[in-house]
Amino acid sequence: MREVAVIGVGMTKWGELWDKSLRTIFVETALLALDDSGIDKIDSMYIGAMSSGVFVGQEHLASLLADYLGQTPLPATRVESACASGGLALRMGFIEVASGMSDVVLVGGVEKMTDLNGHEATYALGTAADQEYEGYHGITFPGLYALIARAHMEKYGTTREQLAMVAVKNHFNGSKNPLAQFPYEITVDSVLNSVMIADPLRILDCSPITDGAAAAILCPVEMAKKMKKPVVKIIGSGHATDTIALSSRKDVTWLEATYQAAKKAYSMANKEPKDINLMEVHDCFTIAEICVTEALGVVEKGKGGEAVELGKTSLEGKIPVNTSGGLKAKGHPVGATGVAQVVEIVKQLRGEAGARQVKGARIGLTQNMGGSGGSTLVHIFERE
Amino acid sequence: MREVAVIGVGMTKWGELWDKSLRTIFVETALLALDDSGIDKIDSMYIGAMSSGVFVGQEHLASLLADYLGQTPLPATRVESACASGGLALRMGFIEVASGMSDVVLVGGVEKMTDLNGHEATYALGTAADQEYEGYHGITFPGLYALIARAHMEKYGTTREQLAMVAVKNHFNGSKNPLAQFPYEITVDSVLNSVMIADPLRILDCSPITDGAAAAILCPVEMAKKMKKPVVKIIGSGHATDTIALSSRKDVTWLEATYQAAKKAYSMANKEPKDINLMEVHDCFTIAEICVTEALGVVEKGKGGEAVELGKTSLEGKIPVNTSGGLKAKGHPVGATGVAQVVEIVKQLRGEAGARQVKGARIGLTQNMGGSGGSTLVHIFERE
């Protein structure tokens, strides 16, 4: 298999984009990525979207977007793995370029969520859980993650304040990202006094409902070396699943799919957690980031909350996590999130991350997760 | 890239499966395919499903099905390209095995459509059209294909009776397929006197609403040669898109995505239309099969209707089309259709097709199409 590079990335401002439709949001973003790559001819497209059917009544999404990007009759494939759809699109593009089947592949993620009201959007997001054994009984994602949070607090002594510190850290980072939906700082007090959603999680523990897209252009490393931008290689890719229902797991505080996907990605990249300079992970709720850093081997099991409190994962810490602001501050247009993580890592490894630049970053990791951890994609990137 | 074989296929009886949920339908089918292959360890799964979100409120589908098949933490990917989702799953599995990334890949397609009533199911299917420029104005798929049919009749003199003959031929074939939803013969008169749906299409011109699944197991040819079953190779794969809205096309009677996908598949296989012994094509409406055979180069442009009338595409004809009964008689659980086409071709090439066996069949083709032709997958198979 051939070595694969990311030679272009694009992202537009995320938020409640009332004046733009899904196709417009995607096309604007894809054109930015193409422009960044310096390439105008692509061979194939992969689109990550979680539920364009429920959110905007539109399936057959990859054809629609290929059409509006002026790229028919190009092969265009939509992939879905709930909130990990973007990371999955990246993996598919990686396999296609690595296989030699295509040279230049556009990988995009997109979701238009605000056409639904809050109740309807909560239903749409609930389609990522087991509808027959979880949704039917009335639980939604804040409830599922609240169960995880409570179990983590009981088992490991993780504190309510440590959960809040994840949100505070990510909003601090997000305040330096002009494309973030909520680019401003918050405090531990503001989290602790925000509206209760599902005990112990309050609204400032939860990532928001967002419209947005992100895109990346992949090609063989040999081709990327001829272009003007610094070469960022994809050196590891891991994909794993877990039981979709939380009730089927032996330990709800442990994200087995993240552990398994990371194991494969580390092995392919021939790297260990200590080699990673920064990472973008799936903080759909504050507790998620804590569990994810444990499953990725960045901190010991049970020590994720303590690590945040000690500043280990902050922008100036030993391993900065979610320098972009994460899902919490940057926003979470579900299908786009996994690709936006790549945008951040590529910008960081190129030294283009502005006020939130991690000095000397050379190796980065992305972790993108579906549902309550029923699927996970982990990718590792290295600057040549 | 490595040569890829299909070493196992599975399909259960299709119809209105009130007593089974989506996951049960899929798991039963996948186990049949695994059993047929003689292999019990798979490396990866691809699931084609068009709109499990709208049909049954369930996204995150590949993880759910990997879980219920007892295959976590295996990588599992759902792909969507409307009614071409199954064909797309096959292509993804083909690329993954060809690339060397995985050895044994399960490719499945599934849809549970009858949990919705007819009005709701028509809405769900309509998500394959351009919702903003087609759906919003009230047109549904029977209407879109009726426009194609009327244009074909005006331009080429295709007759109402020729349309009916497609349904009659496919029901004749389907009467020999015990897994078909409607395994019985019909007549031209019964089609012409059936309920009008969208002039000129009547209900017996339309494929039905169906619950069902299909599955296939792929592996490298070298591995397949060590197994007991005859080796059926995938020798060509083509994937193409077209404008999603019918109104954007220069000629609505011409399926450009089918033409482009076929061109790639023929080229990869180093075959021409005359080399193909039989094919399974996307007869979602009778007019569709006529247009598809033209775009595949089996008959001249405009001669698709005449070819059916002359028996060229019948079971004993020069090139049998839809020996399984096609979407029309076998049923059309949208995401499953593209994989069921593979099941039929593999059974035919192995000589296991019973009363509908095409004698001496060695090379077969599948054509699976999304929406009104906005995406198409073409695959060519050869028995070693």
Side-chain angles (χ1 to χ4, degrees), chain B residues 114-127:
Chain B
T114 67
D115 287 7
L116 299 185
N117 65 36
H119 175 77
E120 293 164 337
T122 300
Y123 167 78
L125 290 166
T127 62

Side-chain angles (χ1 to χ4, degrees), chain A residues 45-118:
Chain A
M45 279 171 59
Y46 286 91
I47 303 297
M50 171 180 161
S51 194
S52 55
V54 180
F55 281 118
V56 295
Q58 182 70 63
E59 308 282 12
H60 211 182
L61 193 67
S63 288
L64 180 86
L65 299 181
D67 182 5
Y68 276 79
L69 195 59
Q71 294 291 341
T72 60
L74 179 113
T77 298
R78 176 207 170 184
V79 296
E80 182 270 314
S81 190
C83 308
S85 300
L88 186 53
L90 179 74
R91 180 173 162 90
M92 294 297 108
F94 169 74
I95 294 174
E96 185 157 327
V97 175
S99 75
M101 189 94 177
S102 290
D103 285 331
V104 184
V105 174
L106 187 154
V107 170
V110 63
E111 214 82 50
K112 179 82 172 89
M113 302 172 73
T114 67
D115 286 6
L116 299 185
N117 65 36

Side-chain angles (χ1 to χ4, degrees), chain B residues 149 153 159-167 200-201 205 286-287 290:
Chain B
M153 292 163 89
T159 66
R160 187 42 276 210
E161 287 71 18
Q162 288 169 346
L163 294 174
M165 288 170 195
V166 173
L201 300 178
D205 289 292
T286 48
I287 182 63
I290 289 174

Side-chain angles (χ1 to χ4, degrees), chain A residues 66 74 120 130 161 178 192 204 281 303 306 329 367-368:
Chain A
L74 179 113
E120 294 164 337
D130 186 326
E161 287 73 17
L192 298 184
L204 287 179
V281 309
K303 300 284 190 188
E306 188 186 287
Q367 180 271 354
N368 183 206

